[in-house]
Amino acid sequence: MSTQPLSDTAKDGPAWRRRKNDRPTEIIAAAREMLEAKGLSGVSMARIAARAHVSEALVYRYFDSKQALINQVLTEWAEPFITSLMAKLDGATTARQRLVLIATSYLRGMDDTPRLHRVFYQELRWQDYAGSPLHKLNRRFANTVVEAVEAGIATGELRADLDAPMVRDMLFGGLEHVAMRTSFAGRPVDVEQQARSFVETLLIGLATK
């Protein structure tokens, strides 16, 4: 019996099979590139197929609609971002630290991939979004603010009468406006400084003592 190591072909299967297994990933990558370049209105299944160098029929074999494909693109984009944030939050000990981490991650994400953020938060209007994996990821991210505020209330760091969902809306809404005048407009932004400044303003308030 031969004891020679298996060749790459024997271990991983013939080249044509490996190429076939790569196709969904290549289609998703092509769709993401087009979304980042042109936004949702500039993307079609035919254009994605051309970008991925496959037939439109093959794209539909893996994704039954443009909606399903775009959802997968955004899910794969959002998941590592949220996983990374959750790991960082595990090491934070105060509400201030948690809110700065969340604000920094959100603003950096908008600065790194402004078009995908605009697609997700401004352009996406799918009927079956509620309950989808993408919706669950977004809720998980939004809840990080609520949880940070509630933890701060429990430890006495924050006022007991705070409305945590309102703080969440103020944080994300305000940071989106920061991004609109910087990252979305092609202007540079000091992400960490802006995030810290925004959270400090939110926590300290506007009125003099």
Side-chain angles (χ1 to χ4, degrees):
M1 180 181 296
S2 172
T3 58
Q4 292 181 347
L6 293 174
S7 67
D8 289 341
T9 300
K11 286 188 294 185
D12 300 329
W16 68 266
R17 187 180 299 279
R18 295 199 306 276
R19 176 70 178 84
K20 181 178 179 181
N21 292 340
D22 288 341
R23 283 172 182 163
T25 301
E26 292 169 356
I27 292 168
I28 291 168
R32 174 167 175 165
E33 288 171 4
M34 295 203 68
L35 277 176
E36 291 182 323
K38 300 179 178 298
L40 194 61
S41 62
V43 174
S44 69
M45 295 294 260
R47 290 174 178 173
I48 292 168
R51 183 88 171 205
H53 304 292
V54 298
S55 68
E56 187 174 356
L58 185 63
V59 176
Y60 277 106
R61 182 181 301 174
Y62 293 107
F63 304 96
D64 58 14
S65 66
K66 173 183 170 181
Q67 174 176 335
L69 176 51
I70 301 305
N71 277 354
Q72 187 62 33
V73 170
L74 294 175
T75 298
E76 292 190 11
W77 160 70
E79 195 162 23
F81 164 80
I82 295 170
T83 299
S84 174
L85 173 61
M86 299 302 288
K88 293 174 184 176
L89 289 174
D90 284 342
T93 58
T94 68
R96 177 179 268 98
Q97 288 174 345
R98 294 184 183 100
L99 292 174
V100 169
L101 280 170
I102 295 165
T104 302
S105 295
Y106 188 52
L107 198 54
R108 191 176 303 284
M110 287 189 283
D111 193 49
D112 288 344
T113 53
R115 178 72 77 161
L116 289 182
H117 269 270
R118 298 191 79 160
V119 168
F120 185 27
Y121 290 103
Q122 298 177 14
E123 299 177 21
L124 193 63
R125 296 292 183 271
W126 299 134
Q127 291 184 351
D128 64 350
Y129 169 69
S132 68
L134 187 58
H135 182 217
K136 291 176 182 177
L137 283 170
N138 192 37
R139 288 189 63 182
R140 185 181 179 195
F141 175 55
N143 282 340
T144 59
V145 178
V146 174
E147 291 165 359
V149 172
E150 291 176 344
I153 292 171
T155 61
E157 184 184 353
L158 301 179
R159 288 184 0 227
D161 62 342
L162 283 177
D163 183 331
M166 183 181 293
V167 176
R168 174 200 62 203
D169 296 344
M170 293 169 65
L171 181 72
F172 290 138
L175 289 172
E176 187 169 338
H177 278 281
V178 172
M180 286 176 68
R181 67 174 183 266
T182 56
S183 303
F184 291 171
R187 300 190 183 100
V189 57
D190 185 332
V191 169
E192 293 187 1
Q193 188 277 329
Q194 284 286 325
R196 286 194 302 269
S197 177
F198 192 92
V199 170
E200 288 302 317
T201 301
L202 193 62
L203 291 176
I204 295 171
L206 303 178
T208 58
K209 300 297 183 184

